[in-house]
């Protein structure tokens, strides 16, 4: 089995931003993403997903390092100041590199 | 006067929340309950509309819309009193100018229990009153000259958000299908209305209790705002309702609408349009103070006011 290096960008943020961020990801050239419902607590208080206004989503994108950087910069620019948001990246391996631009 | 059991469910929810019970309605169930309530109110309104004539509706709609656009401007100076910034105050008036479906539902239950009829156009007014204050709130926060506002995105959030979509959808379905067409749906939407509302209010109690923390942080201003604003606004609503010729039930419900504060449509739209406003300020006031005030004290008082006004007019 051959493994190829790849980046994963994970964004945990307010559910209300899901649509906007996914649109941004597509625009920047991501070939796909995965969204899951999330809950937790942080500097913006407990976000327990009890109902819409306090629910979080976790958006994950697999991509090349260049795109990962572009996503991080754009998302930071647009949303960091006013929204509850955490973004981090990690190096991972995938089996089919051509699937993730 | 005995307390309506649905309100006791709200109390139970608050107690469970304060006591940190593990009680939690699964989000999907809460979602389903709110969908059912929104559709029930819409369907009921649509069926009633299909039975009545549409003449005279236009001036009423104009009066209600005017109220929706003007109230936020009147509220704005009050919202600034708490040393709140422009964005926060604008967000607050958007929430308070807009309306709460949950409070409206409790108002309907209150009238149903007493066999008081209300005009068929009230659900339509509910839909109409959701939107104007949000637009005014955004305009106050951003100013007329700001061209950067993505109005398309914001209007999409408001108009196609679930609350307006389902209410308008329900109204249209009820109106098209008429009383006979809707009859097979009655067991789910109308007969179960109070039970669904009870469960919904249980969750509302839990949510209201969770606002306690924020309430301690933001303190006296939010409590005063949340307690003192509804009654004068409801009086304006009652007055307009009387002037446009609604019956006692209709006047009561228009007062309920005017005195209530949004917690679904407005928070979502304001979060997108005015991200620098602190979302927990208006939510805390709306859910933690105004909603309980309205269901315990407001609705009976608004009913009394409606009766008084009707007495004067008749």
């Amino acid at each position: 089995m051959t493994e190829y290096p790849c980046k994963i960008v994970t964004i945990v943020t307010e559910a209300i931003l899901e649509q906007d961020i996914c649109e941004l990801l597509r625009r920047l050239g991501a070939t796909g993403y995965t969204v899951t419902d999330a809950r937790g607590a942080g500097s913006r208080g407990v976000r327990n997903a009890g109902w819409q206004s306090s629910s979080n989503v976790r958006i994950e994108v697999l991509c090349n390092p260049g795109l990962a950087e572009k996503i991080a910069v754009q998302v930071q620019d647009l949303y960091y100041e006013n929204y509850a948001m955490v973004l981090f990246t990690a190096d991972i391996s995938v089996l089919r590199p051509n699937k993730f631009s | 006067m005995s307390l309506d059991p649905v309100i006791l469910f709200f109390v139970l929810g608050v107690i469970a929340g304060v006591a940190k019970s593990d009680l939690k309605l699964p989000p999907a169930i809460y979602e389903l309950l709110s969908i059912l309530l929104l559709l029930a109110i819409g369907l009921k309104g649509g069926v009633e509309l299909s039975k009545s004539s549409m003449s005279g509706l236009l001036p009423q709609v104009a009066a209600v819309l005017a109220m929706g656009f003007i109230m936020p401007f009147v509220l704005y100076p009050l919202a600034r009193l708490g040393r709140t910034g422009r964005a926060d105050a604008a967000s607050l008036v958007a929430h308070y100018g807009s309306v709460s479906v949950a409070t409206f539902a409790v108002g309907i239950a209150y009238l149903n229990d007493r066999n008081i009829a209300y005009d068929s156009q009230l659900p339509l007014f509910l839909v109409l009153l959701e939107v104007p204050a949000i637009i005014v709130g955004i305009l106050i926060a951003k100013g007329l000259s700001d061209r950067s506002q993505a109005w398309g995105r914001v209007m999409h959030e408001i108009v196609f958000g679930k609350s307006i979509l389902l209410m308008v959808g329900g109204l249209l379905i009820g109106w098209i299908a008429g009383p006979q067409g809707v009859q097979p749906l009655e067991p789910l939407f109308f007969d179960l209305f109070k039970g669904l509302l009870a469960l919904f209010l249980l969750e509302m109690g839990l949510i209201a209790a969770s606002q306690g923390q924020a309430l301690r942080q933001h303190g006296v201003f939010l409590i005063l705002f949340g307690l003192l604003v509804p009654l004068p606004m409801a009086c304006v609503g009652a007055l307009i309702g009387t002037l446009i010729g609604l019956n006692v039930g209709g006047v009561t419900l228009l007062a309920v609408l005017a005195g209530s504060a949004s917690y679904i449509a407005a928070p979502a739209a304001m979060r997108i349009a005015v991200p620098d406003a602190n979302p927990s300020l208006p939510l805390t006031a709306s859910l933690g103070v105004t909603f309980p005030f309205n269901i315990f004290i407001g609705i009976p008082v608004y009913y009394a006011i409606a009766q008084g006004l009707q007495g004067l007019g008749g």
Side-chain angles (χ1 to χ4, degrees):
Chain A
M1 185 179 79
T2 331
E3 292 187 343
Y4 302 88
C6 185
K7 278 269 184 196
I8 181 167
V9 181
T10 308
I11 305 166
V12 182
T13 190
E14 302 176 26
I16 187 124
L17 290 181
E18 176 180 336
Q19 202 189 336
D20 300 57
I21 290 181
C22 293
E23 254 170 47
L24 176 72
L25 293 177
R26 272 191 294 262
R27 215 169 43 240
L28 290 175
T31 49
Y33 51 79
T34 304
V35 183
T36 39
D37 292 327
R39 59 177 175 273
S43 62
R44 306 257 178 170
V46 177
R47 301 192 52 83
N48 58 11
W51 61 304
Q52 195 204 6
S53 297
S54 74
S55 43
N56 273 1
V57 287
R58 174 191 175 105
I59 304 171
E60 287 163 313
V61 200
L62 299 184
C63 58
N64 61 50
L67 182 55
E69 163 121 29
K70 257 202 294 193
I71 292 171
V73 168
Q74 282 270 354
V75 166
Q76 191 165 2
D77 256 18
L78 286 169
Y79 304 112
Y80 259 36
E81 191 184 347
N82 291 317
Y83 293 95
M85 175 176 280
V86 170
L87 179 151
F88 53 90
T89 61
D91 295 311
I92 52 157
S93 312
V94 293
L95 299 182
R96 294 167 298 172
N98 51 338
K99 219 171 130 59
F100 315 104
S101 62
Chain B
M1 189 195 64
S2 64
L3 264 185
D4 194 317
V6 292
I7 295 175
L8 296 177
F9 274 86
F10 179 78
V11 176
L12 181 62
V14 172
I15 293 172
V18 171
K20 298 205 185 333
S21 156
D22 63 346
L23 172 67
K24 186 177 179 227
L25 239 60
I29 303 250
Y30 175 74
E31 194 77 22
L32 177 68
L33 286 173
S34 59
I35 289 171
L36 286 171
L37 288 177
L38 287 162
L39 280 175
I41 294 172
L43 278 174
K44 181 95 186 145
V47 170
E48 295 301 324
L49 277 179
S50 73
K51 285 193 254 177
S52 54
S53 74
M54 294 292 214
S55 65
L57 194 59
L58 222 56
Q60 293 186 340
V61 165
V64 168
L65 277 179
M67 174 172 92
F69 275 107
I70 293 167
M71 275 202 309
F73 287 110
V74 179
L75 282 179
Y76 182 67
L78 294 176
R80 284 304 291 264
L81 289 179
R83 272 174 290 154
T84 26
R86 177 167 164 168
D88 283 335
S91 176
L92 204 53
V93 304
H95 285 69
Y96 274 79
S98 188
V99 294
S100 151
V101 179
T103 318
F104 186 77
V106 178
I108 287 183
Y110 180 89
L111 296 177
N112 282 348
D113 285 350
R114 285 158 186 77
N115 285 320
I116 304 158
Y118 57 91
D119 301 271
S120 55
Q121 38 309 33
L122 263 299
L124 178 66
F125 293 168
L126 167 57
V127 174
L128 292 175
L129 281 174
E130 287 223 59
V131 187
I134 298 174
I135 296 174
V136 173
I138 296 171
L139 285 176
I140 293 176
K142 299 274 175 168
L144 270 175
S145 51
D146 189 329
R147 304 255 167 230
S148 67
Q149 185 62 47
W151 281 102
R153 169 78 175 91
V154 173
M155 287 316 287
H156 184 270
E157 186 68 40
I158 300 174
V159 176
F160 293 101
K162 72 168 178 196
S163 63
I164 292 195
L165 183 85
L166 287 174
M167 291 271 303
V168 172
L171 273 169
L172 286 174
I173 293 171
W175 186 61
I176 294 167
Q180 264 96 49
V182 170
Q183 203 178 17
L185 301 175
E186 281 181 8
L188 175 61
F189 287 106
F190 301 160
D191 300 351
L192 290 181
F193 184 75
K194 262 208 108 174
L196 297 173
L197 185 61
L199 275 178
F200 183 79
L201 288 178
L202 181 67
E203 171 70 11
M204 288 287 294
L206 287 167
I207 296 172
S210 72
Q211 304 297 317
Q213 185 69 35
L215 209 53
R216 275 191 290 277
Q217 279 163 15
H218 303 300
V220 192
F221 169 67
L222 284 188
I223 298 179
L224 286 178
F225 191 86
L227 283 179
L228 297 179
V229 160
L231 187 59
M233 297 228 306
C235 287
V236 173
L239 211 56
I240 291 176
T242 309
L243 289 175
I244 60 176
L246 299 181
N247 59 23
V248 177
V251 171
T252 308
L253 286 180
L254 194 60
V256 166
L257 287 176
S260 70
S262 167
Y263 69 94
I264 295 177
M270 293 313 276
R271 199 74 193 104
I272 293 288
V274 191
D276 47 328
N278 177 354
S280 69
L281 278 175
L283 266 182
T284 301
S286 164
L287 281 169
V289 184
T290 301
F291 180 74
F293 170 82
N294 274 329
I295 62 171
F296 284 105
I297 302 166
I299 293 172
V301 171
Y302 306 155
Y303 175 55
I305 292 172
Q307 280 178 312
L309 283 171
Q310 213 77 5
L312 286 178

